[in-house]
Amino acid sequence: MANIGTLNTTAAGIDAVSGRLGDGPTGPKPRPALSPRNIMLYGTLTIAALYYLLPLYVMVVTSLKGMPEIRLGNIFSPPMEITFQPWVKAWAEACTGLNCDGLSRGFWNSVRITVPSVIISIAIASVNGYALANWRFKGSELFFSILIIGAFIPYQVMIYPIVIILREIGIYGTLTGLVIVHSIFGMPILTLLFRNYFVSLPEELFKAARVDGAGFWQIFLKIMLPMSLPIFVVAMILQVTGIWNDFLFGVVFTRPDTYPMTVQLNNIVNSVQGVKEYNVNMAATILTGLVPLIVYFVSGRLFVRGIAAGAVKG
Amino acid sequence: MNMNSTVSNSSVSIRDLSLNFGSVSVLKDLNLDINDGEFLVLLGSSGCGKSTLLNCIAGLLDASEGQIFIKGKNVTWEEPKDRGIGMVFQSYALYPQMTVEKNLSFGLRVAKVPQAEIDKRVARAAEILQIQPLLKRKPAELSGGQRQRVAIGRALVRDVDVFLFDEPLSNLDAKLRSELRVEIKRLHQSLQNTMIYVTHDQIEALTLADRIAIMKSGIIQQLDDPTTIYNRPRNLFVAGFIGSPSMNFLRGELVKSGDGIAFMANGVTFSLAGYDANEPLQPGRKVVLGVRPEHIKVNENAGGEEHDATVDIEEPMGADNLLWLKHAGHTMSVRVNGARRFNVGAKVKLSFDMALASLFDAESELRL
Amino acid sequence: MNMNSTVSNSSVSIRDLSLNFGSVSVLKDLNLDINDGEFLVLLGSSGCGKSTLLNCIAGLLDASEGQIFIKGKNVTWEEPKDRGIGMVFQSYALYPQMTVEKNLSFGLRVAKVPQAEIDKRVARAAEILQIQPLLKRKPAELSGGQRQRVAIGRALVRDVDVFLFDEPLSNLDAKLRSELRVEIKRLHQSLQNTMIYVTHDQIEALTLADRIAIMKSGIIQQLDDPTTIYNRPRNLFVAGFIGSPSMNFLRGELVKSGDGIAFMANGVTFSLAGYDANEPLQPGRKVVLGVRPEHIKVNENAGGEEHDATVDIEEPMGADNLLWLKHAGHTMSVRVNGARRFNVGAKVKLSFDMALASLFDAESELRL
Amino acid sequence: TDLEVTHWWTSGGESAAVAELAKAFDATGNHWVDGAIAGSGGTARPIMISRITGGDPMGATQFNHGRQAEELVQAGLMRDLTDVATAEKWKDIIRPSSLLDSCTIDGKIYCAPVNIHSWQWLWLSNAAFKKAGVEVPKNWDEFVAAAPALEKAGIIPLAVGGQPWQAAGAFDVLMVAIAGKDTFNKVFKDKDAEAAAGPEIAKVFKAADDARRMSKGSNVQDWNQATNLVITGKAGGQIMGDWAQGEFALAGQKAGTDYTCLPGLGVNEIISTGGDAFYFPLLKDEEKSKAQAVLAKTLLDPKTQVAFNLKKGSLPVRGDVDLAAANDCMKKGLDILAKGNVIQGTDQLLSADSQKQKEDLFSEFFANPSMTPEDAQKRFAEIISSAD
Amino acid sequence: MTGQAQAGRPSKLLRNLNAKIASIPMILTALVIFVGGTLWTVFYSFTNSKLLPRLSFVGFDQYERLWAAPRWVTAIENLALYGILSLIFSLVIGFLLAALMDQKIRFENTFRTIFLYPFALSFIVTGLVWQWVLNPDFGIQSVVRSLGWTSFTFNPLYTPEIVIYGILIAALWQGTGLVMCLMLAGLRGIDEDIWKAARVDGIPMWKTYLLIVIPMMRPVFITTIVIIASGIVKVYDLVVAQTSGGPGIASEVPAKYVYDYMFQAQNLGQGFAASTMMLVTVAIIIVPWAYLEFGGGRKRG
Ligand SMILES: Nc1ncnc2c1ncn2[C@@H]1O[C@H](COP(=O)(O)OP(=O)(O)OP(=O)(O)O)[C@@H](O)[C@H]1O
Ligand SMILES: Nc1ncnc2c1ncn2[C@@H]1O[C@H](COP(=O)(O)OP(=O)(O)OP(=O)(O)O)[C@@H](O)[C@H]1O
Ligand SMILES: [Mg+2]
Ligand SMILES: [Mg+2]
């Protein structure tokens, strides 16, 4: 990549050298920390960062204010009196209809939905990607193309047929049904990711394993899986956030006692009792987003690496 | 034709093998018999189908047509692991997450060989290849040469009949390449297995092979031992392909000269005395004369006729010195001893060793 | 020291150049003067800092310390484009979406050179490199050799003083490599520009260079013309690095023999008659004797002493035949004419040409 | 037995009312599992329907009685309540009888109505008018006349939330008030497109145009947020059904002193008899089926009716209950009901599809000042002509 | 060729059997859900199904009504506007950020995390937050007004003409981080020598980006466009959470029309017709691309 300037060169180093060799420039080219280029660069980045941080700031600040303070106006001003009441309320007290246990119930439901959905959808997609990359058979590319085009089909188009199919199988409204739905809709993008990743692995490894006598599953489990950490991280992040954040399927394919957190959030936010309690809403919003946020903060670096490995290679 | 009798005395036999990728035909009606214990090198330029052929033999690609026999058994539809082959790849293809030991034993563990037996075989392979100290390391902690050795070991432990090598040394630098070349040669001498070795490096081919199969666009051009290939190439392609720098080619025709036949190009005649032709030479025929750079003498009277030339470029290569000469409108390369140096523009006298030259028909490009 | 006088008569001068990546020091206090019109090759194994040095000269990396002069001008802080250099990369680095013509002219167009001038220069470069028919093609439609020619053309059109090549031929196959090598040599002969050429291929270095700088871990080990490098390596590293197969090294010591000094290893003595030592040889000194494979004669009585040996492996390489011999506990490689063939296990007699051998101190590894 | 009951009553007044139902049902030894879905019927109905059609039915579910569940019944997914109804003599006690008619399909009864909701109310904030220095209006025309004064005082004259059904509902109310019962029936019951394009309706659109102008600046979505604007005096008034009363009650406001209600916008004292009803999906579980019957009975129990409707602000479905506790507005409603000045609600008259198209039209009309009343009426007539 | 020698040829179906078995979920999904579901939907779009699907065909009536509905036309216009703008802006902003991030900057991890975190949040959350920030009575408008600029007006969510931009702001906030990541990965994949060659040629940096690097990143752009585009077509949650399609019908989108008519209006036929139209639109864009990328005899790797 273009090596335009290293920031850590200091003026001091230059002086020391030029003292020894009197004639003309020596050592690294001086590049002041406050060059116009750096001001532009960091200035732009900082402004962009502010735009991205602003809503988070507003969320946090609002969630720590009391309602009277909110009504006074400025959403950007820091809270004069910090109160955690909205958080408590959002987590444990906010009502939807007669249920007044806030988001807490939804949280555990979300966990129960997300964990198996993530595991199963990734398991299926990774095997698909592997089969598509290394064990092509007649028609496999066709199915894959259908899958990719399927990624563009609005979910609404599919909901009705899926409701019917699940009803016919008899798993409508069960956790199994929801897991299947998530696996289906996660499949196109995940399969694409895995396929691209496995294609990018040296084909010779696969051939070597076949010569060694390993079969379809052995190669997958013993050779491919251990090499695929980056792409699994990407898939994991995408699915955890996708499934955790899902609203539509959560609302259509569950029942109230198994509502995930997003549905619960929507209920709390829309169950207006008198005035909108923005502080509670914001606290609930943050709480709902917390799990995917943590996942991102922890594994963001791996995400970028995995993206580079899997997504970009068409 | 009676297949079985032909097949029985060879280790690997390929019969009428064709392979197409979609509409592209990569291998065309290929027949090849490899003797037991033979070291066969498949040589050809990039994309000629060498790897494809090797993969077919290994069972990693399905033939479109034809059959493959290994040790007399028709394995055309067998799985790779059931063919009694081991394979070594250019990129080593070591399993990155396993230690060397695990890499070596993977195939055995998959085949559920008892642990004691596995240990014995791994130990033996490690000893042969002198990689005992590396057994606990991961591939990333090995140098290129060590990795390639482990890759060979992986084939070794499986006690296979046939070793397949796909450009195993291409990723190594020149020095290591020549070292490992010697090791592979030594390995073959001690194991006496059948080995099929794909390369596009002619030095490897010449030094390692019992026989070389030179391929071009999926067709074997010549299958012979290295000396024959080098000295009596069957056609123009083989002649030009083998030898570095290339054989010098002069286009011209056969003319009568005294009571014999001579070659004439750009108005200069060359006596063909000493040339061992396959067929009677007819004057008037358009031909190509090929002479290797080392079969031309510079300023050393070898007794025959002499030609005038001018030094155009000199390429000293240490042991040898390569001269590019201008001679009767051709540029000609000549290899002389590294100690002999010439000035650019110097006038020199050349004499050709016709006994080692080659003549090809200009049309059919076949050797005369 | 007076910089200017040293600098003025050389095309590129490097003074006390150091470069660190973080805490890793890659170049160490390097000094180098390259004459006008000289073809200098930087030779060294992978990771020794060749590319780093070249990038420093080009201005693509900032030196941590030291200065760089081009044509007498201190360019240490200049932008690459203002240094009067052109650079050719291993990966060609052609702009993939532009035609060859656009690739060649892009730099000029950006510099707002008049169109007529651009056309003239492109036409000239295309003619020199014989790529006129390719001008309308995109890089993807070119072969490796053609791409490399275009890459050279890109430097050519810019009319630069100094050409920098970073392993320009490494991505090509052997045949193409030797062809382009000749072309580059010819280009240099006709342009008479200063050229700095990085490679790890010693054949390229030996054939192309006016002088070779052999590098190891960021330090220049020897800077000399190819013949000197080949015949009189300054130290053990250079001796071993240059030559393929490597020089044969025998560890032993100097002993008195008659009225002279001889070399003894594993109980066998070698007369040193004819060796041109830099300093008086003292008996008892631990030394390493280096003899190149082509400086050992097999079964040809050269008049000197003879040694018994056994053929271990034979590697016929066409023009040459490489023998690996067992001799007094050493393995020794010997190069003989390709026509001479030996059987494995054959007993042969060796005689050494000590005039062309090298002796090194076992400790300092410097030539004696 | 646990019985899951889904509904979309999540605002303050509504959930208080639902709690009464749950209490009553729990008292029978069963257990009310609350399945509230927030965000109005538009959000909740699809979920309920897909659960029923998906084979995962709840024990009971709220619908607006009328045509919303028609097809579910026809598809045989709903439980026939005729036996309960006969035993409890619903035919005799439910009043007006049109309510039960809406539950009856092919002579069988499929739902238990729980309340009567009427749309035709204008809620006014006394404080707002005081601040603006004008009298609290007694009818729509006075209200329109007072608008400039309100605006001058920084008060939004008419609060209209952003949800489409609010705009559509307000228009219906204006229609009854301005064009009268007959025209209303002609248009919605007989689907008379000519009437819809006629001069009577043009007047209604004029009024709607006024309403649109007066509603500028009410940047809220939910109906109860709009009600809240009235409660806090930020807005002068709101056209909203009687359920708004629950919000006033919850805010501790008193009819007459703090707020004023004008049924039929003070012009035409007619109210519609839409309302909510509970439907009972067909269940396989015997126990639950029994519990369903119990719930159906409980819902129409006089005590439950009173408790529920007081909280909800709606009218009870049986005429034989004592509503001493009812407030001013509710009593007005009961009076009108007693006089028989009733019409059917649009939910009962129009299919959900036509309702939706109507909502789209009025939601656009209220948000887009550049849409002329004439254009809107043309489109309205088209919808009516194709309505079912 | 003797018959006996050829005998070993196993049936084609059994070759690669494990791979085929393992692909069953994919095949089922592709065939049953995506193809089957789609055909089912298209099929029923020619009926006048109401709450429940039923087979009473009405020809193209649903489509005629669809294209006569102002709300559908608005939704399509909105989608086109939103789609084009969000595609352009995500690519431009994403690329610019990636280019800045690629300058060997300090705190790269911090900046990247900041740009990427909104992607972790659902559209529901995004919509709510931006509804709050853009709320005229509490958010930016009121804050600026309270600073003294009383005539300042920035009320996109309640102004029909610009409401779609309000949604765009939120969508970009949520999505550009991922685009930046993809672009960054693409930039990091460019041969370093290209940069060096351009510097030696004296080509200014912006020209190098514009004329050399961006054209080289074609595959990355394609992947990115596919990801953005598939999101655009489906945009629903964000609108629902932020504006519910309002004010009026000013921010309606096709996916919402489908949902509303299928479930709220209980007119499945209409919803199916609308979703079929969406499919047709998608197909027109996607099929040529998919053919180029995955069909057309492309080689492995
Ligand atoms: N999977 C494939 N699909 C289509 N064509 C292929 C495939 N694999 C190889 N080919 C084509 O078959 C030809 C032969 O390829 P092969 O890999 O056998 O060449 P090779 O001789 O091994 O070359 P190299 O020396 O570069 O390894 C090439 O032209 C290649 O493009
Ligand atoms: N950007 C960098 N950061 C840190 N270390 C580097 C960087 N670039 C090169 N190095 C290190 O500097 C040393 C010299 O690298 P350089 O590229 O100059 O080697 P080279 O001689 O050109 O090798 P090769 O023949 O493989 O191209 C290597 O050890 C390398 O790891
Ligand atoms: Mg190959
Ligand atoms: Mg390098």
Side-chain angles (χ1 to χ4, degrees), chain C residues 44 50 84 130 162 167-168 198 277 286 290 293 301 326 354:
Chain C
K50 308 180 295 292
Q130 306 191 304
V162 180
E167 311 201 13
V198 162
K286 300 255 179 266
N301 200 326
K326 288 214 185 296
M354 281 304 165

Side-chain angles (χ1 to χ4, degrees), chain D residues 133-161:
Chain D
V134 285
E135 283 280 302
V136 177
K138 287 187 206 56
N139 58 42
W140 177 253
D141 295 329
E142 285 182 35
F143 179 59
V144 175
L150 289 169
E151 270 166 4
K152 217 181 255 157
I155 294 167
I156 308 161
L158 183 70
V160 180

